[in-house]
């Protein structure tokens, strides 16, 4: 472990009772998703009452953010404690994510936000509700995608610095010249920096001095907008949107995919097999949020349960596992800050927020730093570096609360880490071979076709048998898997068959640390 966090946090050895939460008079409840999303993919909303707005001019009137006294952009930067305490500033001495493309599958990114200027290089809307470039925020929580993008790859802005420079120039112009002073005294010469200096971005990171800066400020973003709420009844199903979004991201050059969305089901449709297998076969790192208990996600659900996906749990300010802004599950790989966070919202504003929706892009950004520094490194080795350099927490070794531990960005980028020959989060190809059994024996393992397109996974109508006792599954009010953004809500659906197979695969592996 690098020494930037040593001795600072006094973290509890394991998750105990409910953790104390920050309180502020400016907190605001965020509307929950509709009941139509129960059991399926949703945005993962933060716990109710955990959102505050900047109240800055330009925020959309219907955004739902509270109108608070404006804060200067650099005050928001000062609240990004994770940049120092989790090693990102140290990692920037080696890599800032240059040359890496990260796809953000979410509600769409406001590419015109001053903290995201020039960061979005492409995109698409797969919902039918947004614009062709995926940069028109859509859905009930349209701010979500911009929040996620800003903590991942924001560049900040120089608005406050420009204002200060303009004030200095005006002050200099108002200073009397020596010939006009009534007392005959000589006036001080204007400060050259006040009349000629222009704020410039930081040479090391390319980030401006104010506003929200992401953990990978030189990475580029693809904005893929999805609409997972009930207010778009004529659009594609949530299942189809997610499958199309993942496939499009892979086909358009994504090196990393961030999915701050989830569900309360552990299983997933076969269309996701094809999409996520396509990502696996094309060496793309996929990062997903685990979910938030306070929003109804009592255990991680798909896509966080899909083998090969790096699933992220959430931490409190003191580095302990968050009760409200996280969940648990055998698929969790690593933990990152989740509560509190700050981020950008459409229209130029900024806000405080919380949840694994924000923890996931911190880890996706970390993957971008690694891929930038080691461009030939395969995806499974990138994930291994993140897990192997994590600071152990909770029960010694891997556990369902912290996964392999708490991220250490500096170590993940710079440490000497041995190579592995497979993804420590397992592989979807293996899962498909075991779980999607063909009616006849001897079905081939799914492989890529000569064109590079993923092969159709084999399947059977009968689920994989298991010796685990079968629990009764509550009726799904919205039949089928309906994804939602991790800010999510819903009832827990057991999905024992899928979970049992994942557990079986994990018991077979012996990951190198």
């Amino acid at each position: 472990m690098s020494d930037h966090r040593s001795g600072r946090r006094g973290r509890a050895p394991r998750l105990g009772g409910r953790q104390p939460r920050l309180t502020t008079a400016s907190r605001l409840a965020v509307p929950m998703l509709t009941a139509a999303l129960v059991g399926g993919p949703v945005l993962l909303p933060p716990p109710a009452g955990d959102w505050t707005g900047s109240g800055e001019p330009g925020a959309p009137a219907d955004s739902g953010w509270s109108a608070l006294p404006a804060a200067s952009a650099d005050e928001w930067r000062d609240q990004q404690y994770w940049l120092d305490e989790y090693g990102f500033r140290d990692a920037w001495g080696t890599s800032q994510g240059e040359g890496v493309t990260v796809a953000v599958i979410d509600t769409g990114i406001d590419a015109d936000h001053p903290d995201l200027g020039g960061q979005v290089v492409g995109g698409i809307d797969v919902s039918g509700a947004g614009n062709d470039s995926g940069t028109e925020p859509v859905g009930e929580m349209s701010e979500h995608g911009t929040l996620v993008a800003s903590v991942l790859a924001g560049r900040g802005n120089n608005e406050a610095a420009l204002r200060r420079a303009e004030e200095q120039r005006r002050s200099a112009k108002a200073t009397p010249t020596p010939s006009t002073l009534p007392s005959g005294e000589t006036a001080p010469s204007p400060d050259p920096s006040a009349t000629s200096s222009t704020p410039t971005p930081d040479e090391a990171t390319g980030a401006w001095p104010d506003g929200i800066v992401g953990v990978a400020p030189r990475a580029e973003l693809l904005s893929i907008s999805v609409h997972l709420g009930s207010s778009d009844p004529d659009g594609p199903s949530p299942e189809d949107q997610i499958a199309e979004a993942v496939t499009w991201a892979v086909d358009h050059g994504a090196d990393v995919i961030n999915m701050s969305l989830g569900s309360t089901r552990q299983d997933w449709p076969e269309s996701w097999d094809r999409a996520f297998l396509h990502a696996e076969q094309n060496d793309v790192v996929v990062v997903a949020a685990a979910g938030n208990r306070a929003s109804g996600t009592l255990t991680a659900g798909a896509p966080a349960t899909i083998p090969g996906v790096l699933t992220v749990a959430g931490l409190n300010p003191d580095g302990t596992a968050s009760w409200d802004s996280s969940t648990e599950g055998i698929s969790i790989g690593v933990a990152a800050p989740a509560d509190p966070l700050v981020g950008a919202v459409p229209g130029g504003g900024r806000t405080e927020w919380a949840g694994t929706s924000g923890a996931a892009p911190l880890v996706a950004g970390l993957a971008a730093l690694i891929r930038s520094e080691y461009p030939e490194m395969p995806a499974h080795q990138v994930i291994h570096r993140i897990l192997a350099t994590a600071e152990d927490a909770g029960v010694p070794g891997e556990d369902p609360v912290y996964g392999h531990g708490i991220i250490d960005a500096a170590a993940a980028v710079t440490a000497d880490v041995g190579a592995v020959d497979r993804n420590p989060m397992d592989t979807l190809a293996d899962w498909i071979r075991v779980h999607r059994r063909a009616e006849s024996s001897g079905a081939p393992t799914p492989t890529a076709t000569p064109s590079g397109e993923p092969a159709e996974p084999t399947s059977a109508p009968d689920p994989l048998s298991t010796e685990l006792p079968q629990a009764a599954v509550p009726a799904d009010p919205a039949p089928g898997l309906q994804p939602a953004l991790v800010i999510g809500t819903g009832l827990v659906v057991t999905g024992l068959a899928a979970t049992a197979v994942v557990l079986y695969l994990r018991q077979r592996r012996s990951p190198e640390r």
Side-chain angles (χ1 to χ4, degrees):
M1 181 189 75
S2 58
D3 60 4
H4 54 84
R5 295 183 58 241
S6 178
R8 288 193 183 186
R9 293 193 166 268
R11 199 170 36 256
R14 54 184 172 273
L15 181 65
R18 187 183 182 89
Q19 299 294 331
R21 302 190 52 74
L22 297 179
T23 58
T24 164
S26 60
R27 290 199 182 276
L28 160 81
V30 174
M32 289 296 183
L33 296 175
T34 66
L37 296 176
V38 173
V42 294
L43 279 170
L44 299 179
D50 277 3
W51 297 64
T52 62
S54 67
E56 295 182 1
D62 60 351
S63 66
W65 306 101
S66 60
L68 302 176
S72 67
D74 52 340
E75 290 182 80
W76 294 106
R77 176 70 59 84
D78 292 343
Q79 296 181 61
Q80 294 188 257
Y81 60 90
W82 55 89
L83 298 178
D84 292 305
E85 295 183 12
Y86 290 83
F88 286 103
R89 286 194 194 277
D90 291 342
W92 289 346
T94 301
S95 170
Q96 299 91 42
E98 55 269 43
V100 176
T101 301
V102 183
V104 176
I105 300 176
D106 215 287
T107 60
I109 302 169
D110 177 10
D112 293 327
H113 194 288
D115 293 350
L116 288 163
Q119 294 300 82
V120 179
V121 298
I124 189 175
D125 171 67
V126 298
S127 71
N131 62 18
D132 292 342
S133 63
T135 55
E136 177 185 349
V138 300
E140 286 89 346
M141 287 181 289
S142 58
E143 301 87 355
H144 195 266
T146 305
L147 283 164
V148 168
S150 65
V151 298
L152 197 164
R155 292 282 297 272
N157 67 79
N158 65 340
E159 291 177 336
L162 287 172
R163 285 196 299 269
R164 289 192 295 269
E166 179 62 22
E167 290 171 359
Q168 290 174 336
R169 282 191 287 268
R170 290 177 179 176
S171 176
K173 289 180 180 179
T175 302
T177 62
S179 61
T180 60
L181 284 175
S183 64
E185 298 176 358
T186 302
S189 300
D191 182 354
S193 65
T195 58
S196 61
S197 64
T198 300
T200 58
D202 180 84
E203 292 183 2
T205 64
W208 294 97
D210 305 313
I212 307 299
V213 62
V215 296
R218 289 188 184 271
E220 296 181 330
L221 299 176
L222 298 176
S223 178
I224 307 176
S225 57
V226 296
H227 189 300
L228 303 180
S230 60
S231 61
D232 186 29
D234 298 327
S237 70
E239 298 99 315
D240 290 345
Q241 290 182 58
I242 297 302
E244 181 181 353
V246 172
T247 302
W248 190 93
V250 175
D251 291 343
H252 288 78
D255 303 296
V256 180
I257 296 174
N258 184 83
M259 304 185 73
S260 291
L261 51 85
S263 70
T264 52
R265 294 180 59 163
Q266 286 74 54
D267 58 346
W268 56 90
E270 291 187 33
S271 62
W272 290 19
D273 286 359
R274 294 185 286 274
F276 284 82
L277 183 62
H278 189 41
E280 183 174 285
Q281 292 171 339
N282 283 274
D283 200 43
V284 178
V285 175
V286 181
V287 179
N292 309 318
R293 289 184 189 85
S295 300
T297 307
L298 303 184
T299 187
T305 54
I306 296 177
V309 171
L310 178 53
T311 300
V312 184
L315 300 172
N316 286 318
D318 63 355
T320 57
S322 175
W323 179 261
D324 288 345
S325 299
S326 190
T327 190
E328 58 188 272
I330 61 172
S331 62
I332 288 175
V334 75
D339 186 5
L341 301 169
V342 292
V345 293
R350 298 169 189 86
T351 193
E352 181 180 335
W353 62 314
T356 53
S357 274
L362 299 183
V363 176
L366 176 53
L369 298 183
I370 297 170
R371 301 214 87 165
S372 176
E373 177 63 11
Y374 309 99
E376 302 301 319
M377 182 174 287
H380 70 266
Q381 182 66 22
V382 172
I383 293 174
H384 173 63
R385 287 188 72 89
I386 294 172
L387 303 186
T389 57
E391 180 185 349
D392 193 22
V395 177
E398 186 179 358
D399 69 67
V401 175
Y402 296 93
H404 290 252
I406 297 171
I407 60 167
D408 184 334
V413 172
T414 63
D416 184 10
V417 178
V420 294
D421 58 6
R422 59 176 285 123
N423 191 334
M425 302 305 295
D426 299 318
T427 67
L428 182 56
D430 286 347
W431 187 91
I432 292 172
R433 185 180 63 248
V434 173
H435 186 66
R436 309 287 195 199
R437 297 179 305 161
E439 293 182 1
S440 59
S441 61
T445 302
T447 56
T449 63
S451 66
E453 293 296 320
E456 294 282 331
T458 58
S459 63
D462 298 326
L464 178 68
S465 61
T466 172
E467 296 181 359
L468 293 175
Q470 299 297 312
V473 179
D476 190 347
L481 181 66
Q482 300 212 359
L485 292 160
V486 182
I487 290 182
T489 183
L491 302 175
V492 175
V493 180
T494 310
L496 280 176
T499 305
V501 174
V502 174
L503 180 59
Y504 165 73
L505 291 172
R506 285 179 174 274
Q507 288 174 338
R508 294 195 310 160
R509 64 177 168 85
S510 299
E512 299 179 33
R513 296 283 298 190

